[in-house]
Amino acid sequence: MRPRPVLRAALASVLALVALSGCSADDEADLRYAGDYSSHPPLAVVGYPSMGTLGITQQVVWHIADGKAGELTSLADPDQDKAAAEKTADNWIAAFRKGAGGKVTAEFYDEGSYRQTVVLYLHGTSQIKEIHIRPMSVDGKGVWRVIMAEPDPGEATAVAPWVPKTPGELGSKTAR
């Protein structure tokens, strides 16, 4: 998929500004996000994400689609076991890479100020993946991180009984 002219112009402007002003770590992250955004299919959304929950969910889908286990693992809750997060990233990529590269709908459940359940519907493969994200402080900054504690491939691909088969069936309210 080729970037749209408006996105290309915006990205070129950002790159020029960064080149003229120097590049901080935040600028580099913004550039990576802009590049990822313009090179992936748009994520369809159901429910009520915050800017933070939407941003990290997009990154999860993009890193799965691109097979970037290291980048996916970097989104994990830092309080988790690192080996389990790495194995979970490998499992998610092995199971969902093909579907994550196509049309994806993310349904955001419940209120998202302190944690959020997100169900990913991978339309091309008819797969469903539930993820959990929560806010935390990392290096003094408020960020969202993903719970990645599914080192068993069966657990990584299991669909909870409450998860609907199609987006919107529960009105973005968990039925647990």
Side-chain angles (χ1 to χ4, degrees):
M1 176 183 230
R2 298 182 60 95
R4 288 180 236 131
V6 173
L7 288 175
R8 272 190 257 132
L11 186 57
S13 297
V14 170
L15 288 171
L17 179 63
V18 169
L20 294 173
S21 65
C23 194
S24 72
D26 287 340
D27 293 334
E28 289 176 23
D30 289 344
L31 284 174
R32 279 192 307 274
Y33 184 88
D36 282 341
Y37 184 89
S38 66
S39 62
H40 292 90
L43 185 68
V45 174
V46 176
Y48 301 96
S50 69
M51 240 172 76
T53 60
L54 176 59
I56 197 163
T57 300
Q58 287 175 311
Q59 291 176 66
V60 166
V61 172
W62 299 336
H63 295 330
I64 291 171
D66 295 342
K68 294 182 175 180
E71 286 86 344
L72 183 57
T73 302
S74 74
L75 301 176
D77 179 337
D79 295 333
Q80 288 183 239
D81 176 75
K82 185 173 176 157
E86 290 171 346
K87 183 62 179 150
T88 299
D90 291 339
N91 289 337
W92 289 3
I93 290 168
F96 303 109
R97 185 172 185 181
K98 181 178 180 185
K103 182 180 177 191
V104 177
T105 298
E107 183 160 13
F108 292 80
Y109 282 88
D110 300 319
E111 195 272 322
S113 63
Y114 65 97
R115 68 181 167 81
Q116 199 152 35
T117 298
V118 182
V119 177
L120 303 173
Y121 294 90
L122 311 169
H123 297 280
T125 58
S126 300
Q127 293 173 294
I128 298 172
K129 176 67 190 141
E130 176 185 3
I131 63 172
H132 301 277
I133 52 182
R134 68 183 192 100
M136 57 184 14
S137 178
V138 175
D139 297 328
K141 295 181 181 180
V143 297
W144 286 87
R145 290 294 178 245
V146 182
I147 307 302
M148 295 180 68
E150 299 172 344
D152 176 80
E155 184 180 13
T157 57
V159 179
W162 73 268
V163 174
K165 301 288 184 229
T166 58
E169 281 184 37
L170 296 178
S172 298
K173 299 285 184 197
T174 53
R176 299 187 232 198

